């Protein structure tokens, strides 16, 4: 994905005239992003933009449901191993050139190539030869995907994957503009794209500006000409910007202010359940975390999630006693082994486990928690630190950094003790993949061959029901070891201007900008 300047866009005819004085739809998007390369996107903030500028075989609808994208349909072989996708003939890149099956082949090969360093290359792990390619033992050209012709793509799986098509709307599986790749890629690029929008400007620590893609196959239904994603890492500042009309939508609201915000804004406040979780990730590549299961269990049990939810945040989050969130259709999450105990009994058991792990008055423990900048994260971790000190005598030092820096440390696993992380997906297996060794890029470094085997068995089931049953077994097995410390299941809370129409509850993602419409301001 080459670097594209404004002058280059104009020369290519990509900066089409917009209505004089056209107002941008201005959206809060949390912390600054690290890349517009959708194959390297790793945070929900990067994915949100990526899903607007690229389109895969399937796409996300207004409620986060899978809808047709570049593919108009597909067939599956009787053995469940071969998918044949038919691509639409009117799909175009933002320079007007056609999107072809070869663009998907190039993209998927690039995703699994080790040099790409894509955090989510494992999304293609079940394609033929993918495992060997990802580990550097095979040529990317041997990946189980081929273009039969410009509009026919054949995907060969190494083994069944009942939920394979559920991943297809995700941005990392979008095609790439092949000739751009030959120009060289970097994370500052404004990539040529095939989605409803194209990126035309990026101002670090400020915004990313998108413009309607005139060559998008369904451009007639895209109502908003210009969309801006603004950096809004500080929630109080974001609220002030919404209040003054500088933003039409926030990405969140400040913790503890939900009632006041509801009283002030009424129907502009949107609250709905999310498939997202917040948790603490012990660094299992370092001691004492690598071998001290009882220490991890003690810390998890001593945290009173009800207090954090109801008294600290008071903003709709619910205590999380599973790792996979509740409410995903068809999946019954496995609760933590001690979930039925009262908090008093959990505290007593936590003290016992801490002593068995070798810590106490004669051997006090001091730890560090790394967390992203932001009011919500700060309040949660202040509460956690106080609980661990009061109940277990553990001294906690809090260390906050920008979100993208925290992500970098999580991927490198070079943080000292615990790091706060979050995940948002309506696919249960994506949560468990985080616990499978080095997969997913953000896991704590948990290795359990029995757990890995259960994940493999789950993926080989002929249907989702059987797959989900095996995944629940795997979750139960892993969580007995406390490889992560679940804290809260989040609700999505945001302010949406009454001028914005089309916003829908989308538990696993957010409504793509192509479905949003900004009404004219009242004079």
């Amino acid at each position: 994905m080459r670097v594209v300047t404004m002058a280059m866009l104009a020369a290519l005819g990509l900066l089409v005239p917009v209505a004089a004085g056209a107002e941008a739809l201005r959206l809060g998007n949390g912390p600054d992003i690290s890349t517009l390369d959708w194959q390297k996107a790793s945070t929900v903030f990067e994915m949100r933009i990526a899903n607007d500028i690229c389109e895969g075989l399937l796409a996300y609808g207004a409620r986060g449901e899978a809808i047709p994208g570049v593919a108009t349909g597909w067939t599956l072989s009787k053995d469940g191993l071969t998918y044949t996708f038919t691509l639409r003939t009117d799909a175009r890149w933002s320079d007007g050139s056609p999107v072809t099956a070869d663009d998907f082949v190039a993209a998927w090969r690039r995703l699994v190539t080790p040099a790409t360093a894509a955090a989510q290359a494992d999304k293609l792990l079940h394609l033929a030869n993918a495992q060997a390619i990802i580990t550097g033992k095979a040529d990317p050209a041997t990946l189980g995907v081929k273009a039969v012709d410009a509009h026919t793509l054949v995907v060969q799986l190494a083994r069944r994957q009942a939920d394979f098509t559920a991943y297809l709307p995700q941005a990392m599986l979008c095609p790439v503009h092949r000739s751009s790749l030959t120009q060289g890629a970097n994370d500052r690029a404004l990539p040529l794209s095939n989605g409803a929008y194209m990126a035309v400007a990026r101002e670090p620590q400020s915004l990313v500006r998108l413009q309607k893609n005139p060559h998008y196959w369904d451009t007639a239904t895209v109502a908003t000409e210009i969309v801006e994603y603004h950096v809004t890492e500080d929630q109080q500042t974001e609220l002030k910007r919404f209040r003054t009309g500088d933003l039409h939508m926030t990405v969140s609201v400040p913790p503890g202010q939900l009632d006041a915000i509801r009283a002030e804004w009424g129907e502009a406040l949107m609250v709905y359940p999310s498939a997202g979780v917040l948790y603490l990730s012990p660094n299992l590549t370092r001691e004492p975390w690598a071998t001290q299961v009882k220490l991890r269990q003690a810390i998890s049990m001593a945290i009173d999630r009800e207090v954090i939810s109801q008294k600290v945040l008071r903003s709709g989050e619910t205590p999380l006693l599973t790792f996979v969130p509740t409410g995903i259709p068809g999946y019954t999450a496995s609760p933590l082994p001690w979930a039925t105990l009262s908090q008093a009994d959990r505290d007593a058991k936590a003290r016992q486990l801490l002593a068995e792990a070798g810590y106490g008055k004669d051997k006090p423990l001091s730890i560090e928690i790394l967390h992203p900048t932001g009011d919500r994260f700060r309040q949660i971790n202040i509460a956690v630190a106080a609980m661990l000190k009061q109940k277990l005598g553990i001294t906690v030092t809090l260390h906050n950094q920008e979100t993208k820096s925290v992500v970098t440390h999580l991927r490198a696993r070079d943080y000292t003790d615990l790091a706060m992380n979050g995940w948002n997906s309506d696919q249960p297996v994506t949560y468990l993949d985080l616990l499978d060794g080095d997969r997913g890029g953000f896991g704590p470094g948990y290795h359990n061959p029995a757990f890995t085997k259960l994940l493999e068995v789950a993926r080989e089931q002929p249907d989702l029901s059987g797959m989900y049953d095996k995944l629940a077994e795997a979750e139960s097995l892993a969580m007995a070891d406390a490889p992560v410390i679940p804290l809260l299941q989040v609700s999505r809370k945001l302010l949406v201007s009454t001028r914005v129409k089309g916003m829908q509850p989308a538990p696993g993602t957010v409504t793509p900008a192509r479905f949003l419409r900004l009404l004219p301001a009242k004079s």
Side-chain angles (χ1 to χ4, degrees), residues 47-60:
M47 290 292 186
R48 185 181 185 188
I49 298 173
N51 285 327
D52 279 343
I53 63 176
C54 81
E55 183 171 87
L57 295 170
L58 298 181
Y60 285 116

Side-chain angles (χ1 to χ4, degrees), residues 297 321 334-341 476 479-481:
Q297 291 171 333
L321 295 175
S334 297
L336 298 174
W338 40 263
T340 58
L341 296 179
S476 180
M479 294 313 294
D481 288 339

Side-chain angles (χ1 to χ4, degrees), residues 44-45 48 63 249-253 258 269-276 315-317 376 423-425 489-495 503-511:
V44 294
F45 316 107
R48 185 181 185 188
R63 291 180 175 271
M249 188 185 304
T250 68
V251 72
S252 61
V253 298
L258 196 61
L269 176 64
M270 191 172 186
V271 181
Y272 59 90
S274 167
S315 54
E317 283 78 12
R376 177 174 63 164
W423 196 253
N424 191 306
S425 173
Q489 181 165 344
V490 302
S491 62
R492 183 159 281 130
K493 303 164 289 294
L494 63 160
L495 286 163
M503 185 67 181
Q504 301 289 328
T509 179
V510 293
T511 299

Side-chain angles (χ1 to χ4, degrees), residues 262-486:
R262 181 178 286 112
E264 179 181 1
W265 293 103
E267 65 179 17
L269 176 64
M270 191 172 186
V271 181
Y272 59 90
S274 167
V277 302
L278 291 175
Y279 62 96
L280 293 174
S281 183
N283 189 341
L284 301 186
T285 68
R286 295 187 175 190
E287 294 296 346
W289 310 103
T291 57
Q292 286 281 19
V293 175
K294 290 181 178 180
L295 172 60
R296 305 194 304 256
Q297 291 171 333
I299 289 176
S300 186
M301 295 177 78
I303 296 172
D304 192 332
R305 296 155 177 83
E306 192 75 29
V307 166
I308 295 175
S309 169
Q310 301 302 317
K311 296 184 178 180
V312 175
L313 296 181
R314 295 179 289 113
S315 54
E317 283 78 12
T318 56
L320 184 65
L321 295 175
T322 60
F323 186 46
V324 179
T326 60
I328 296 178
Y331 186 79
T332 302
S334 297
L336 298 174
W338 40 263
T340 58
L341 296 179
S342 68
Q343 187 60 51
D345 288 341
R346 294 175 193 172
D347 293 344
K349 183 65 175 177
R351 287 189 287 270
Q352 175 188 332
L353 289 169
L354 186 70
E356 292 175 0
Y359 297 96
K361 292 182 179 180
D362 295 333
K363 188 181 179 182
L365 180 64
S366 296
I367 65 173
E368 178 182 286
I369 297 180
L370 173 66
H371 68 85
T373 299
D375 291 341
R376 177 174 63 164
F377 304 127
R378 179 179 59 83
Q379 291 182 14
I380 291 171
N381 285 288
I382 286 174
V384 168
M387 291 171 185
L388 296 183
K389 182 64 174 179
Q390 177 187 5
K391 300 176 182 183
L392 302 179
I394 297 175
T395 300
V396 179
T397 300
L398 301 182
H399 183 45
N400 71 286
Q401 294 185 4
E402 290 185 353
T403 299
K404 58 185 178 182
S405 296
V406 174
V407 168
T408 297
H409 289 301
L410 283 164
R411 292 186 66 177
R413 298 197 187 103
D414 60 2
Y415 54 97
T416 304
D417 297 299
L418 304 176
M420 171 164 272
N421 200 357
W423 196 253
N424 191 306
S425 173
D426 57 3
Q427 301 300 318
V429 71
T430 67
Y431 293 88
L432 302 183
D433 280 345
L434 294 171
L435 306 182
D436 189 17
D438 297 325
R439 291 187 61 185
F442 299 97
Y446 176 65
H447 292 272
N448 183 332
F451 172 74
T452 298
K453 180 61 178 177
L454 269 175
L455 290 187
E456 293 174 355
V457 171
R459 284 189 165 94
E460 293 170 356
Q461 298 304 304
D463 54 40
L464 276 180
S465 176
M467 180 182 186
Y468 283 0
D469 286 346
K470 291 299 179 182
L471 289 179
E473 287 185 39
E475 181 183 8
S476 180
L477 177 68
M479 294 313 294
D481 288 339
V484 291
I485 299 171

Side-chain angles (χ1 to χ4, degrees), residues 33 43 52-53 62 99 113 124 127 141 165 180 213 223 245 249 278 282 342-343 440 443:
I33 63 170
T43 68
D52 279 343
I53 63 176
V99 177
T113 299
L124 294 178
L127 266 65
T165 58
S180 292
N213 178 4
M249 188 185 304
L278 291 175
S342 68
Q343 187 60 51

